[in-house]
Amino acid sequence: MEKNYRPWGFYENILVESNYLIKKITILPSSRLSLQSHSYRSEYWIVIKGKGKYVVGDNKFDFSEGNSIFIPQNVKHRLINDSSTNIEIIEIQKGEKISEDDIIRYQDDYKRN
């Protein structure tokens, strides 16, 4: 699997189909993904390593290994690693359009659009 590096860590695509994608995401310590939403897909996260926080809508929650999280289409969300170890999740994207272009960023620590 090819690693796709980002400022917060990296991801690896496991399975790519026309209406769903499965990827493994690694979030480095003291990092967080942008606050974002997706117009064409929902996401399911399964935490396989680590603990941290996530935001869905206006709510913030703690998570740890074994938790599963559903992110509906068009809902703002973010993953936060406030620990000293990597977090690993399996993400399943499901929708009519699966593309890295389907990201609307509201807040981003790394100044991306």
Side-chain angles (χ1 to χ4, degrees), residues 27-31 51 81-87:
I27 305 153
L28 301 174
S30 302
S31 296
K51 60 183 181 176
N81 186 350
D82 56 0
S83 74
S84 59
T85 60
N86 287 353
I87 291 172

Side-chain angles (χ1 to χ4, degrees), residues 3-12 24-29 31-33 86-87 110 112:
K3 290 184 180 178
N4 297 278
Y5 290 93
R6 298 293 184 261
W8 44 261
F10 58 91
Y11 70 89
E12 301 164 273
K24 179 181 174 190
I25 299 175
T26 300
I27 305 153
L28 301 174
S31 296
R32 63 185 185 169
L33 281 65
N86 287 353
I87 291 172
Y110 314 106
R112 298 171 297 170

Side-chain angles (χ1 to χ4, degrees), residues 3 20 29 34 45 55 57 59 67 70 89 91 97 108 110:
K3 290 184 180 178
Y20 69 93
S34 60
W45 298 334
V55 174
N59 301 305
N67 290 149
F70 174 64
I89 68 165
E91 177 180 86
K97 179 181 175 185
D108 185 61
Y110 314 106

Side-chain angles (χ1 to χ4, degrees), residues 15-75:
L15 181 61
V16 181
E17 296 292 338
S18 61
N19 65 341
Y20 69 93
L21 171 101
I22 301 172
K23 62 171 64 171
K24 179 181 174 190
I25 299 175
T26 300
I27 305 153
L28 301 174
S30 302
S31 296
R32 63 185 185 169
L33 281 65
S34 60
L35 181 63
Q36 60 187 261
S37 68
H38 310 288
S39 298
Y40 300 100
R41 69 175 188 249
S42 57
E43 296 179 341
Y44 304 83
W45 298 334
I46 301 168
V47 183
I48 56 174
K49 180 181 176 187
K51 60 183 181 176
K53 295 182 177 21
Y54 69 97
V55 174
V56 175
D58 295 327
N59 301 305
K60 185 186 279 189
F61 305 94
D62 293 326
F63 68 83
S64 59
E65 288 180 33
N67 290 149
S68 61
I69 302 157
F70 174 64
I71 309 298
Q73 184 176 322
N74 293 311
V75 174

